[in-house]
């Protein structure tokens, strides 16, 4: 057991290579047992923000000029440290966010994979020689880092999303200041420990913790900021666009989703029910890629609903660290009340309740923020539940009569993150792939879950033009320099 990963203690920020506490500490509580303080984190202020930005700016020239193989060594060491401490870190992720230990353990593994993957790219060709029409002139393209990057990360994947951003940013030669969500700051501070404990150069990664209302404005105001990468709600992402308008600061946003899964009459209903159930209720529906809309062909709607309800009833809702837990609590009381209000609104609009719909308070669930897996039928496109992101264990079901009607329904959204189709027809699948307006498309698979080397990101109001993951992520974190040289 690493003493710095102990629950119930104080976790410190990493600034300029040194761990720093706070004059004031914030309590991070367990959503399954809100009386339990998982740990305390510093209440950062404007002085901490200034120090973190100063450290990142000072470290940038050295880190930029560090050979790629050496940068890869730093990332690789962090990946191994995460793997060595999987049990402790997964326990922290589960305790502060509410997800099951199985989900949290998978999150630690994937987070480590991000650092290993981008470390492996240090041998990748990041330039090319170009033809030039002038005699004796050689031309080439170089890809160079941007500078100081600000990462603002969400509470639903509190370790994975920071790793998804930090790994390519650091691999490309940038330095980073990261501000995690106030609901789940411990995971980022545990990730920072991976760098501090393995001797990473000071200042390449810096953390500040506390409310966005106090920290984001001074972070954005710094003229040394080269880029901001954000994952969170569409509303906040659009606010960041407005705040940075007119400045030469690159912005990447991964925002909301209202993802649809389509099940046609020729689809495997057992596979569809199993997959949709996992995609809708895994992590208590608190995934941007969760399936929140189910569009089913009328001839199989009753059969699929019966299978889906049966599977959902079997889900064990319990604290994340309980044996057999398949679904934990919502991250906070505020989030729980928001989800319950969305369900009540849908029923008032005319939707019917096929399953769930209420807070769970029996036995060990009494203290926590638990909502039953919920399935709503009779949902129409004019209902708010069809259009607005719930971010909870709620599945809205709508019935259609054809593939084209299903595609039209799937595209009837301001979001465009992910969509899935269940069909045995290759021709139908091709039509769906071509026509659906999302960044992530799946056939006979879940809307959630993508490998670290596969580009990830949405269309419309689900995200900006810059993808995350894979080599595509490096486009955001690098800039192009074209060079022409004529020999003397």
């Amino acid at each position: 057991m690493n003493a710095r990963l102990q629950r119930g203690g104080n976790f410190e920020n990493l600034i300029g290579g040194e761990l720093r506490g706070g004059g004031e500490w914030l309590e991070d509580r367990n959503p399954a047992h809100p009386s339990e303080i998982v740990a305390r984190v510093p209440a950062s202020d404007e002085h901490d923000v200034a120090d973190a930005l100063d450290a990142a700016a000072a470290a940038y020239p050295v880190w930029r000029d560090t050979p790629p193989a050496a940068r890869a060594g730093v990332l690789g060491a962090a990946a191994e440290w995460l793997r060595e401490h999987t049990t402790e870190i997964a326990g922290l992720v589960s305790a502060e966010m509410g997800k099951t230990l199985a989900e949290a353990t998978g999150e630690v593994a994937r987070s480590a994979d991000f650092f290993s993957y981008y470390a492996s790219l240090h041998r990748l060709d990041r330039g090319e020689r170009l033809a030039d029409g002038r005699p004796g002139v050689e031309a080439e393209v170089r890809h160079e880092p941007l500078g100081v990057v600000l990462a603002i990360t969400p509470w639903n994947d509190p370790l994975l999303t920071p790793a998804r951003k930090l790994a390519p940013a650091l691999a490309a030669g940038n330095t980073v200041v990261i501000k995690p969500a106030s609901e789940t700051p411990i995971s980022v501070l545990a990730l920072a420990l991976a760098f501090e404990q393995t001797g990473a150069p000071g200042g390449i990664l810096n953390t500040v913790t506390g409310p966005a209302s106090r920290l984001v404005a001074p972070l954005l105001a710094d003229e040394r900021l080269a880029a901001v990468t954000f994952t969170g709600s569409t509303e906040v992402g659009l606010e960041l666009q407005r705040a940075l308008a007119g400045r030469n600061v690159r912005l990447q946003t991964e925002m909301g989703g209202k993802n649809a899964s389509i099940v046609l009459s020729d689809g495997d209903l057992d596979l569809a029910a199993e997959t949709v159930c996992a995609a809708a209720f895994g992590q208590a529906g608190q995934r941007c890629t969760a399936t929140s809309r189910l569009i089913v062909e009328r001839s199989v709607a009753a059969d699929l609903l019966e299978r889906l309800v049966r599977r959902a009833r079997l889900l064990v809702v319990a604290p994340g660290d309980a044996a057999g837990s398949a679904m934990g609590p919502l991250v906070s009381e505020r989030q729980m009340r928001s989800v319950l209000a969305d369900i009540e609104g849908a029923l008032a609009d005319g939707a019917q309740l096929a399953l769930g719909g209420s807070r769970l308070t029996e036995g060990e669930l009494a203290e926590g923020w638990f909502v039953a897996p919920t399935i709503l039928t009779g949902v129409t496109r004019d209902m708010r539940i069809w259009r607005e992101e719930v971010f909870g264990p709620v599945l809205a079901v709508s019935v259609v009569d054809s593939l084209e009607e299903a595609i039209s329904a799937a595209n009837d959204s301001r979001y465009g993150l992910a969509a899935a189709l269940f069909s045995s027809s290759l021709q139908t699948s091709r039509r769906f792939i071509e026509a659906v307006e999302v960044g992530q498309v799946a056939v006979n698979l879940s809307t959630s879950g993508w490998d670290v080397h596969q580009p990830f990101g949405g269309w419309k109001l689900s995200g900006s033009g810059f993808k995350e993951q894979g080599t595509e992520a490096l486009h955001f974190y690098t800039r192009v320099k074209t060079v022409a040289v004529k020999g003397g």
Side-chain angles (χ1 to χ4, degrees):
M1 165 69 77
N2 188 303
R4 292 194 178 276
L5 294 173
Q6 184 131 10
R7 280 168 66 165
N10 293 340
F11 278 67
E12 298 172 309
N13 275 308
L14 179 65
I15 298 178
E18 297 181 354
L19 296 175
R20 177 187 296 190
E24 180 185 351
W25 294 86
L26 303 173
E27 295 176 345
D28 189 358
R29 294 180 177 270
N30 186 335
H33 306 288
S35 60
E36 178 198 349
I37 298 172
V38 181
R40 296 173 178 84
V41 303
S44 300
D45 57 23
E46 291 189 10
H47 298 292
D48 298 312
V49 167
D51 289 347
L53 289 164
D54 287 346
Y60 170 63
V62 177
W63 184 244
R64 175 196 62 201
D65 295 338
T66 299
R71 295 202 297 257
V74 172
L75 269 61
E80 288 309 306
W81 193 90
L82 289 173
R83 294 188 180 103
E84 289 169 7
H85 296 89
T86 292
T87 300
E88 298 145 278
I89 298 172
L92 290 168
V93 172
S94 174
E96 74 164 346
M97 189 271 159
K99 63 181 63 180
T100 68
L101 271 178
E103 291 167 335
T105 300
E107 182 164 344
V108 178
R110 283 197 66 201
S111 298
D113 285 347
F114 274 114
F115 290 105
S116 293
Y117 171 74
Y118 285 102
S120 73
L121 296 186
H122 76 279
R123 298 182 187 277
L124 185 68
D125 179 12
R126 293 301 298 157
E128 57 184 311
R129 186 171 178 179
L130 302 175
D132 194 288
R134 296 163 289 184
V137 174
E138 294 184 353
E140 64 181 62
V141 168
R142 298 169 59 91
H143 299 268
E144 299 184 357
L146 302 174
V148 177
V149 174
L150 169 63
I152 303 174
T153 58
W155 49 257
N156 63 318
D157 288 317
L159 188 75
L160 185 148
T161 302
R164 175 190 279 156
K165 297 177 183 299
L166 292 176
L170 294 173
N174 302 283
T175 55
V176 180
V177 176
I178 184 167
K179 192 276 175 202
S182 297
E183 292 89 344
T184 56
I186 299 171
S187 298
V188 161
L189 301 189
L191 177 55
L193 278 174
F195 286 82
E196 189 271 339
Q197 297 271 288
T198 56
I204 66 169
L205 171 60
N206 307 273
T207 66
V208 289
T209 50
S213 59
R214 181 164 62 186
L215 300 180
V216 171
L219 284 166
L220 294 180
D222 197 285
E223 291 299 320
R224 295 168 295 182
L225 203 62
V228 177
T229 175
F230 165 80
T231 296
S233 72
T234 296
E235 289 67 31
V236 174
L238 296 178
E239 287 178 12
L240 287 172
Q241 290 180 12
R242 290 188 284 269
L244 294 172
R247 291 176 59 188
N248 191 24
V249 178
R250 192 174 291 187
L251 175 63
Q252 177 186 60
T253 56
E254 198 279 289
M255 301 184 286
K258 193 68 180 176
N259 312 300
S261 287
I262 297 171
V263 181
L264 299 180
S265 58
D266 65 342
D268 183 328
L269 297 189
D270 287 327
L271 173 65
E274 177 183 3
T275 306
V276 169
C277 186
F281 305 125
Q283 208 165 294
Q286 298 171 114
R287 289 190 181 119
C288 59
T289 55
T291 294
S292 56
R293 294 184 295 159
L294 176 61
I295 302 165
V296 57
E297 197 165 10
R298 192 175 306 276
S299 61
V300 294
D303 287 345
L304 178 63
L305 183 63
E306 187 274 329
R307 287 170 168 82
L308 191 57
V309 169
R310 185 171 67 245
R311 286 183 179 276
R313 287 188 191 281
L314 295 176
L315 292 175
V316 177
V317 181
D321 59 357
S325 176
M327 194 183 99
L330 279 299
V331 72
S332 65
E333 181 179 14
R334 181 177 64 177
Q335 185 64 17
M336 179 194 71
R337 296 198 181 282
S338 174
V339 170
L340 291 173
D342 286 334
I343 296 170
E344 291 173 6
L347 296 176
D349 287 342
Q352 292 91 49
L353 193 63
L355 183 70
S358 62
R359 180 181 181 181
L360 298 175
T361 58
E362 293 185 2
E364 63 179 346
L365 308 185
E367 187 187 2
W369 317 128
F370 295 90
V371 173
T374 299
I375 300 175
L376 298 166
T377 59
V379 175
T380 58
R381 294 199 211 179
D382 58 343
M383 293 182 183
R384 188 177 183 278
I385 198 72
W386 179 264
R387 300 195 169 277
E388 299 302 320
E389 186 176 40
V390 175
F391 228 62
V394 180
L395 181 65
V397 183
S398 183
V399 175
V400 296
D401 292 303
S402 68
L403 170 65
E404 295 305 318
E405 186 182 354
I407 293 173
S408 174
N411 288 339
D412 185 21
S413 174
R414 65 176 183 153
Y415 299 110
L417 182 53
L421 171 75
F422 291 85
S423 171
S424 59
S425 167
L426 180 59
Q427 181 178 1
T428 297
S429 299
R430 285 297 175 193
R431 170 60 185 155
F432 167 74
I433 291 168
E434 292 168 357
V436 70
E437 297 169 354
V438 297
Q440 314 293 134
V441 183
V443 176
N444 297 322
L445 292 165
S446 171
T447 53
S448 55
W450 304 91
D451 289 341
V452 299
H453 63 282
Q454 297 174 346
F456 175 84
W459 294 5
K460 302 181 184 178
L461 288 185
S462 285
S464 63
F466 292 103
K467 289 274 192 176
E468 296 192 287
Q469 302 190 173
T471 57
E472 279 290 321
L474 296 173
H475 293 307
F476 176 74
Y477 295 107
T478 57
R479 53 190 172 182
V480 174
K481 178 182 286 183
T482 305
V483 180
V485 178
K486 185 174 183 178

